[in-house]
Every structure is written in structure tokens, then in C-alpha cells.
Amino acid sequence: MTRKTKNTISGIIRGIVLAFYLLLVVLPIYWIIVTSFKTNAEIVNTQHITYWPHVFTLENYQHLFSTMHYATYLKNSLIVTLSTALVVTLLSIYGGYGMARFKFKGKGAATIFFLITQMIPSILVIIPMYVFFARVKLIDTYQALFIFYTITNLPFCAITMRSFFEGIPYVLEEAAFVDGCSRSQTLWKVVLPVMFPGIVAVFVFAFIGAWNELIAGTIFLNTQKMWTIPIGLKALVGKHNVEWGAMMAGGVLALLPTAIMFIFVQKYIVEGLTAGAVKG
Amino acid sequence: MSLATKRKLQPYLYIAPIMILLLLMFGYPLIKSIVMSFQDYKLTKLNKIHWNNFKNYKNMISDKNFWLLVKNSLVYVITSVIGQFLLGLGLALALNKRFRGRGVYQSIVFLPWAFSSFVVGLLFRWSFNGEYGVINDLLKKMGVIEKGISWLGTPGYSLAVIIFAMIWIGIPFFAINILAALQSVPAEIYEAADVDGCGTFRKFFSLTLPFIKPTIIMTILLRTIWIFNSFDLVVIITEGGPANYSQTLPSYMYSQAFSSYDFGMAGALGVLLMVVLSVYAVIFLKVTNYDKAGDF
Amino acid sequence: MKKRLMFVAALALTGTLFAGNTLAEEWTREFEGESLTFLDVAPNDVRTSYYEELFEKFYEDTGIEVEYQSVPWDDAADKITVLGASGNLPDILTTWSGWLGQFTESEWVVPLSDYIGDSIDEYTDVITDCYWKSEKTRYGDIYTVPDGWMVKGIYVRKDWCEELGIELDPTQDWTWDDYFDLVEKLTDAEKGRYGATYRGARGGFDIILTYMQGFTEGATFDQDGKILINSEECQEAFKKWTDMYLNGYAPEDSINWGFAEMVDNFKGGLTGTLINDSEVAATLIDAMEDDQWMVMPFPVSAKDGICYNTMGAPYAYSMSSFCENKDAAWLLLQYMTTAENQADYCVLTGQIPIKKEASDLDYYSEDGYYGAFLHQMNQENVAIPATYGPFDYTDLHQGLLHEEVQSYLLGDESAEDALNNICTALQERMDEYLAENPDTEIETALFVSK
């Protein structure tokens, strides 16, 4: 087989693989979007499923903005989520680096402790937190959610960050030490640029973890002017029925900010900050 | 302070911020749930809290559904993790090479991860409805089936739908992680291999894999724990039905414990999960040689 | 929504609901400057704007500020658990009947008898003689003021019946066997039509219990605390009910259906009957044409000719024991349930008023949407059956009850075994409860009008 045919074949296989993933993702999303433009009567018509809106309507979106204060929820979600993601990423860099690059007493125990935090029944964590927030008057504030989300997302993100550090050859740092850099300088100037993709990935995880969180939101927030998007969506589920149209429209709108964030950060995941500089 | 002490303290300085935060936050609930797990601790009977001689644990294990739940949980966790891992790895490898439109493509295929599991759960529950779900309608139109399948009403299928939803959400998580790790692999290593004339497969196993191994190990470990504990998809899609055939241990026990305000029981389940998952974590890290991974 | 809003607009044009009774009541300003909190567990645009307006009026009349807090229905139980466990419940909270047992046991809510006092005469008979009587029997006092009243009925596809030449008269009694006949006739699998909206998931056993209680005079336990629903007649009844599913009069999928699927299916034209609360009428008025559906009263038992109907208050109000100014909180409760405010609320949310004065409204006449529901409340043979028992059964309701039925439907166990397991579990709870509370008065069915 010539190199050329080999390349063509592998190109075709890659094409099929890429198409498979695309369909897997696009079909359900298509369904959500199409549904969001249907009237409720059409959505629940169980006798005839339509794949394109019979009657195209914007009423579901109007409903979200006119009666659901969707814009307020969006603002609240953005404030809480962005601040959480930034702080979590920063703390994870230090923690992850410490865990990856040093041998010290209690390292194994620390790892297990990080993991265990994920196994405590959430309600047993939330109750003492509530008592604390109530005492310092933080109930129904952004700060409560910010603190809670930061702490609950930290263990995962720190461990993930650690694994990225461990994937970076130590020789890079040694060379920097030889040049007389301090550890902290080495971390910021030499190591982080190389693992920028990992940092972005951790940021994305923290962002999404906070963006979609529901339970703590419903518990620490009381008034609708403080609600985040997931709470607003959950309120579309009533005792007897689900408002499908508004729910799907809300799903689309909840996705938009994250989709935009993906567009911004995705290239860093595959390229890194200074891809050429280090690798060349 | 001498240089030696400073050296010794250095690692602790790096992890101190995180450790302090986590201990403050989780230390108390952790100890409290261990203590409660050995007590009769009901919110409705707070004046009658007492030690109860492992009754919570005994009740848990003697529940007639216990082994069915264990089986379901294992099937759910193992297939979800393997599915997410293989599909995520495949996606990461496919994305690791430049092609036209990669940016847009990437932004789209990562989207499932951005959905809240609550919306995804509702979407799946609705789409897989046996009577008016879009899945049956499509399958009928394509001629695959003649009569609608009762996905959520049939043992086996109902759990499969939950697993499918779980995999769908989680592929991007693995893909992002692995891709990020792949991107940190120094390019000169591949150049050297090209000179040596290594084949694609050999290149992957002997060169790429060692670099991304720490990430793969940790991602699998974290996801296993996370998936095991997460039950919102179960609750939303099937409520564990029919007759507990799609119920997992955490979803069943927590709903039982919370609906009867029995925090002793919730604590016992938490402790059981902690023990099982910690043992799993230790063994997994040992077997995969995690500590040695990434030593270059 | 539109139709309901139009109705409300019409009210506004013709004057208020109480044209002859516009004397503004004098409200005390004794608590001026105080503030209270109120928690709504089922917020939606209609309810939220109703409450916000109401609290504004309340502020003008009394000088007390009320903060409207809300939590989505699905997460409400969790939120209240945390609030209660941490001692932070709001002053007034909406309490779904299923939670009251736990709230009273945990002493999170306070008894209201003394507050209600003589005003008890303002309430309709069904509230005083059934609702509060049952609360007193089960919890020893009155703990909630109903927000409205909810009766169960059977929603039927009127157009399907007409096609098939079936005539139904909502003013006449019918039996459960008539209902099963109707379900069979409406089923046409070819056309994708099923007679019954079978509820298989959580809550699915509730209606089976009600049906079986037609053979036990509406009781669950006898006066010695022995379970009654495992008699031969009840076993037959259990099988007859589940046959609707096994014979294919309900979609195969419905073994795992919950609330969302039920209403959607009826609206969407898959099923011909739907057993549900009067509250659902509000949704159907919006979603369907008037000639498509009608409401039939609950069928009567073939054994004793009694119609057992589990009525109740959808989201009753209770006062938290953490409330620091209980008199102000009571003032708010009174304000929320004045005949006028209460009637506005009921029209908006699809409930039946609880104050005598309001129940005379034209909207609630027997030929309106609520005709069949109201009709039931005026019949001598209508009774509210007993609940599962005085004990806490939330975990059973969450699991065992419907799971055993599902196991039978899947062929994993016999009908006898399924029902037996359910009865054994309930009996165990009852024995335990009676051992601790030997003076318990065992619940019996309560007749709605004497």
C-alpha cells in the first residue's frame, strides 16, 4: 500500500468517526431546538410527532422573558459561575502543583480525603453550611453560592490539575532551576504555559459544575430575584405537568453562554498558550 | 528559618489553602455522618437519639432489594465509565489532529457536557416514552421495529436508557481531559519516533500513552466515584422503575432515608460508599501504578 | 391561561367578585414595621404575581412587610428539610398534606385551633367536618388552614364518547364497573387510543387503595388496628384494577408513568380517561377545546353505594414554630384567607373556595367547569376515605407501594404476594405506632355532607 492510499483510508475513517460524534450530539440538540419553537399543543400531540414546527412560534421564549425573569437568572448565574470558576482554577493550580511535584508526609491521605469529600451525602454537608450562612447573614446572596460552589468543585479540579502536572516532564523545571529561577517563577513562566490546555479544561469543569448546580441553589436562595437558571428551569416542572415548550426554550438559552465560552476557550485546549515556543 | 526547614514546609504551603478550605467545609459533616450512622437519628425524633448497635447497617444489608441494587449499580457504573472512556478517548484522538473547521466542530461536540443533567434527563424520559417518544417514532419510520418498544417500562431497557444518557453527557469530559493531556505531549518525541519509523499503533502505545496515563487514571477514578454517587438521571428518567430494575444503591437509599427523615440511615449509606470507594481508589491507584506514572 | 384570564378580566369589568360587599375591612396596624416571611412551594407566574400583589395590599393595610420566598415544587421537600433541621423555617409556609405528619412529629409547625376560634363558622362544612376533623384525629389538633379545596374526578374525552355513541351523565352516580366498561370501550389500539391513563410510578397505589376501600367502608384498618385491605374482596379488587393494564387498556409504557406523562397523554390524545384532582382542570381549560373533554364524578362502590373520594387542600398554610411574632403571622394568614382574597386565588389556581361566602359564586355553579366536582360535594353518599394510617409512610409511598404492584405487573410475583407484602409493611407500621400511642383513634371514612 502506498503512503498516499494509506493516508486516504485513514482520512476516510477519521471522517466517519467525526461524523458519528457529530450526529450523536447534534440530533438531540436539534430536537430540543425544534421543540422550543413549537406550540404546546403540537408538542404534546401524541398522535402525530412533527420533526419541523407545524406552526412556528416564539411564545416559549417570550414566556421565559416576560413572566420568568429569565434575564435576571442569567445575570445571577453568570456572576456566581464566573467568580467560582476563576477562584477554583487558581487554587487548583497551587494545590495540584504541590501534590504533583513534592513528596511529603500525608500525601496519600490527602488524596483519599479529596476523594472522600465527594462521597459524603450532600444533604449532610448542606445543613451545617446553612446554619453557618444563616448566622453570618449570607442566605439569599451570591456569596453563599460562590463559597459553596468553590469548595465543592475544588477537590475534583485540584486532582485533575495534579494529573496534568504529572504529565509534564520534570526536566523542564530542572532546566529552569539551573538558570536560577525560583520555584514560583518556574511554575508561572515555564510550567503553566505548557499545560495551558489543562488549565482551560479545569476552568471549564468548574464553570459547568457551578453553572448547572441546582440543589444548593434552591436551598441557599429564597427569592426569585436571586435565582439562577437551573432553578428557574426547575420551576417549570409542576405538581401535575411539565411545561415542555418553555423547558426546551430554557434549555437552549441555558446552553448559549456555555456554548459561547466553548467557542472562546476550545482553541486553547488544543493549542495551548505558546504551543510553538516550547515544543519547537 | 533554615533552608532545610523551608524546603520541608514548601509543599504544605502549596496545598494549604485547599486543605484548610476543605477541612473547614467537609470535616464536620464527615465526622458527623460517621457518628450518625451508628445512631437512631431521625429528624422527627431528635430527642430520642441513641446508639443502635449497627442497626442502620443491618437494615441496609437486609433490605430485600439490596443485592438487586448492588447489581444495578455495578452495571450502571462499569458500562457508563467504560462507554465514556472509550468514546471520549476516540473523540480526543480524532480531535488531536488538525482539520478544517476543527474549532467549530469541537465547540459543538463538547456541548452535551454543558447541559444540566436535569434537562437531559427530562429530554431522555420524554424521547424514550414508549407511546409518543421520538425514538420509537424514528425506529418505526426507519423500519427497524414495527411496534413501539416500552423503553422505560421494561426491565433492562430502562437502565440502558439511563446509562445511554449518562454516557452522552460524559463523553466530552473524558475527551477534554485526554485532549488537554495529549496536547502537552512534547512534539519532539514524535519527531524522534518518526525518524525511527514507528507505526501509528506502536507510537500510541509506547509514546503517547505514558504521557497521558496519569490523566487517564485520574479521570477514570474521578468519574467512577462521581457516576456512582450521582443519581439525578435515575430519579428523573425512571425513578428507579419498573420495580427497582433501574434503581441504584445511592438513589434508593437516599430517597428512603430522606423521605423518612432518617439521617442515621443516610449516614450509614455514606459511610458504606466511602469505605467501598476508598478501597476501590487505593487498589485502583496501586494496580495502575499511579505513583510511578509520570516519572520521566 | 387565556380563557382563565379572560374570565378574570370579565370579573373586573362587572365589579369585584363581591360587588355587594365592598366595605373595606379594618385591619389592625398594631404590628406596623414588623416583617414576615412566606414560602411558596409551587411558584409559577400566576401564583407569584397573585402573592406579590396580595402582600403589597397587606402592607398597605397593616404596615407589615412580607417577603415572598419560593422553591420549585420538585425540590421543596428537600429545602424544607434543611430549613427545619437548621431551625430556619419561614413564618408561614405552604404545606402539602403528605408532609404534615413529619412536620408535626418534628414540631416544626404550631397548632392553630386557638387562633381560628370562632371564625371556624366562616368555613364551608367540608373543611370543618372533614378536613379539620381528620387533622385532629391524626395529629391531635388543627395545623393547617387550607388554601383551597381539591376534589378528585375522572376527566373523559367527550368527543371519543360521542363517536362511539356512549352517553355519560355527570349528575348521575356510576359505579367503578361502569368505569372499567368505559375504559374497555374507549380502547382502540389500532387507532393508538387507550381507555385508561394508568399510573404505575410513585403514587400509583393511592388510587388502588381508594378503589379497594369501596369494599372496606372506606377504612384501611379496623378498630383494633388490623389491616382490612387484604380481604378476598380486596384481592379481587386489586386484580380487577391492575387488569386494566394487563389487558392492554392502558399503554404498556404506563407501568412507569408519573405525573408528567399522565396529563400530557390525556391532553395529547393517547388516553381517553384521566383520574386526577380538580386542580388539573385549570391546565385542561387552556390546552383543550371545550367539546373535547368533560368531568365525571368519582364512581360509587358497588358494595355500599358510597363514593369514596380523596379530597384535600393542595397547598395548605401552616405557621412555623420558629416564628417570632405569631400574632402578626396569624394576621397574615387571616388576610390570605378572607373570602375575597381566597376566591381570587381559587379562580386563578383552579381550586374550590373554602369560605361559605365565596362558594356561592357563579363560577362555581354546577354547570361551570367545576360542576362535576361540586356536585360530589353536595351528595349524601360521598365520603373521604381513611389515609394509609396515622404513622409516617413517606418512604413506603416513595418505594414499596408502587414497586410491589410493578413486580406483579411484570410477572415477577403473584397478585396475592404483592398485596400481602404491602399489607404486611403497613401492618408493621401500624403495630409499632399503636404500641407507642395506645390511645390512637382509628380513622374511618368521613361523610362530606351529613
Side-chain angles (χ1 to χ4, degrees), chain B residues 121 235 267:
Chain B
V235 173

Side-chain angles (χ1 to χ4, degrees), chain B residues 5-292:
Chain B
T5 357
K6 239 179 156 178
R7 269 263 159 84
K8 240 187 189 157
L9 279 179
Q10 206 175 20
Y12 297 104
L13 288 179
Y14 275 92
I15 66 160
I18 285 201
M19 260 338 238
I20 291 168
L21 277 177
L22 293 186
L23 280 172
L24 278 178
M25 162 93 175
F26 291 108
Y28 173 73
L30 177 62
I31 294 166
K32 179 94 177 163
S33 42
I34 294 173
V35 171
M36 282 195 295
S37 76
F38 297 104
Q39 292 176 326
D40 250 8
Y41 194 109
K42 281 198 166 193
L43 278 190
T44 46
K45 290 176 186 154
L46 282 179
N47 47 352
K48 285 191 209 152
I49 295 166
H50 57 88
W51 302 101
N52 68 1
N53 198 19
F54 299 100
K55 197 175 112 202
N56 297 326
Y57 291 92
K58 284 179 200 156
N59 284 350
M60 193 159 62
I61 291 172
S62 61
D63 190 297
K64 75 169 187 168
N65 289 312
F66 186 76
W67 295 108
L68 173 68
L69 300 176
V70 169
K71 194 187 106 193
N72 289 344
S73 307
L74 289 177
V75 170
Y76 163 71
V77 171
I78 294 171
T79 47
S80 301
V81 172
I82 291 179
Q84 287 186 355
F85 168 60
L86 291 180
L87 288 169
L89 179 67
L91 181 59
L93 290 174
L95 284 172
N96 197 28
K97 211 166 157 190
R98 270 169 211 281
F99 57 88
R100 222 183 321 157
R102 182 169 70 170
V104 180
Y105 181 88
Q106 219 175 198
S107 309
I108 294 173
V109 291
F110 288 167
L111 281 181
W113 178 250
F115 275 102
S116 75
S117 45
F118 148 67
V119 173
V120 173
L122 277 178
L123 179 73
F124 272 69
R125 167 167 164 186
W126 184 48
S127 303
F128 278 90
N129 186 293
E131 292 298 331
Y132 58 85
V134 65
I135 299 293
N136 273 344
D137 196 58
L138 280 175
L139 291 176
K140 274 190 223 162
K141 287 211 166 92
M142 292 191 298
V144 181
I145 52 170
E146 263 178 38
K147 205 181 146 282
I149 296 173
S150 167
W151 294 102
L152 304 180
T154 313
Y157 286 159
S158 62
L159 185 59
V161 172
I162 295 172
I163 293 171
F164 180 35
M166 184 45 110
I167 293 178
W168 190 76
I169 294 183
I171 294 172
F173 178 83
F174 271 92
I176 293 173
N177 255 351
I178 297 174
L179 191 59
L182 280 173
Q183 289 298 317
S184 308
V185 178
E188 58 263 35
I189 302 229
Y190 288 114
E191 281 154 23
D194 277 341
V195 174
D196 294 346
C198 285
T200 319
F201 281 96
R202 237 194 89 203
K203 225 164 34 183
F204 176 73
F205 280 104
S206 56
L207 292 172
T208 316
L209 202 57
F211 279 95
I212 61 172
K213 198 175 151 193
T215 301
I216 290 182
I217 294 173
M218 271 307 173
T219 313
I220 290 182
L221 181 63
L222 290 175
R223 280 310 276 178
T224 310
I225 292 171
W226 192 85
I227 291 176
F228 199 89
N229 279 327
S230 96
F231 47 81
D232 35 1
L233 284 179
V234 178
V235 173
I236 294 163
I237 299 180
T238 66
E239 279 192 54
N244 280 322
Y245 276 105
S246 64
Q247 191 80 271
T248 64
L249 198 58
S251 97
Y252 178 81
M253 292 290 170
Y254 284 138
S255 74
Q256 290 288 299
F258 294 151
S259 63
S260 52
Y261 286 14
D262 189 345
F263 283 24
M265 189 67 165
L269 179 69
V271 171
L272 179 82
L273 293 182
M274 282 179 229
V275 171
V276 170
L277 290 174
S278 305
V279 169
Y280 162 79
V282 170
I283 293 176
F284 185 79
L285 291 176
K286 270 259 150 56
V287 169
T288 52
N289 247 333
Y290 184 76
D291 278 342
K292 300 225 178 69

Side-chain angles (χ1 to χ4, degrees), chain A residues 94 118 182 188 211:
Chain A
Y94 276 95
Q118 306 297 306
S182 77
W188 283 98
W211 185 259

Side-chain angles (χ1 to χ4, degrees), chain C residues 128-376:
Chain C
T128 49
D129 299 347
C130 297
Y131 182 80
W132 277 336
K133 187 169 175 213
S134 145
E135 226 169 67
K136 274 186 183 159
T137 315
R138 285 155 72 198
Y139 311 116
D141 207 312
I142 295 173
Y143 284 93
T144 62
V145 177
D147 60 324
W149 192 244
M150 211 168 50
V151 179
K152 277 205 163 53
I154 301 187
Y155 297 88
V156 181
R157 282 299 290 252
K158 193 155 66 173
D159 49 347
W160 293 13
C161 291
E162 276 162 14
E163 264 174 51
L164 295 165
I166 302 168
E167 273 181 41
L168 294 173
D169 181 359
T171 59
Q172 293 298 312
D173 281 349
W174 62 328
T175 64
W176 282 106
D177 290 323
D178 296 336
Y179 168 71
F180 295 136
D181 277 348
L182 175 69
V183 163
E184 189 179 342
K185 281 188 200 143
L186 290 178
T187 304
D188 186 344
E190 297 272 292
K191 272 193 191 163
R193 285 181 178 182
Y194 296 91
T197 309
Y198 190 87
R199 181 171 195 173
R202 189 169 57 197
F205 190 72
D206 298 356
I207 183 66
I208 305 183
L209 175 71
T210 308
Y211 173 55
M212 292 197 297
Q213 283 172 327
F215 300 90
T216 63
E217 295 177 359
T220 311
F221 292 93
D222 67 13
Q223 288 305 305
D224 301 322
K226 289 280 158 282
I227 192 123
L228 288 169
I229 54 168
N230 55 358
S231 67
E232 246 169 66
E233 274 174 319
C234 287
Q235 285 191 358
E236 281 311 305
F238 180 77
K239 281 188 209 157
K240 203 156 197 179
W241 188 273
T242 41
D243 274 349
M244 278 199 292
Y245 176 83
L246 293 172
N247 290 341
Y249 303 146
E252 188 188 352
D253 220 33
S254 59
I255 187 172
N256 211 17
W257 279 3
F259 69 93
E261 283 85 358
M262 292 178 65
V263 179
D264 275 356
N265 273 304
F266 184 74
K267 279 198 288 197
L270 187 72
T271 53
T273 64
L274 167 71
I275 299 176
N276 221 320
D277 296 318
S278 43
E279 207 185 352
V280 172
T283 321
L284 298 185
I285 292 172
D286 297 336
M288 296 172 84
E289 300 299 324
D290 283 354
D291 54 5
Q292 280 185 309
W293 62 287
M294 61 183 288
V295 185
M296 286 292 287
F298 245 38
V300 299
S301 154
K303 190 178 177 190
D304 55 17
I306 307 291
C307 163
Y308 295 100
N309 190 322
T310 43
M311 310 177 181
Y315 315 98
Y317 306 123
S318 53
M319 195 194 297
S320 119
S321 46
F322 304 104
C323 174
E324 279 167 10
N325 191 342
K326 297 204 169 58
D327 291 329
W330 176 249
L331 194 67
L332 174 62
L333 253 178
Q334 277 179 299
Y335 197 88
M336 292 165 80
T337 49
T338 60
E340 187 179 348
N341 291 334
Q342 221 272 315
D344 286 350
Y345 172 86
C346 287
V347 171
L348 282 170
T349 57
Q351 328 282 1
I352 296 163
I354 54 164
K355 287 275 177 91
K356 283 176 186 154
E357 217 179 318
S359 53
D360 300 336
L361 291 174
D362 279 351
Y363 189 64
Y364 294 101
S365 70
E366 291 204 1
D367 25 297
Y369 287 118
Y370 292 89
F373 298 115
L374 288 159
H375 174 75
Q376 297 185 73

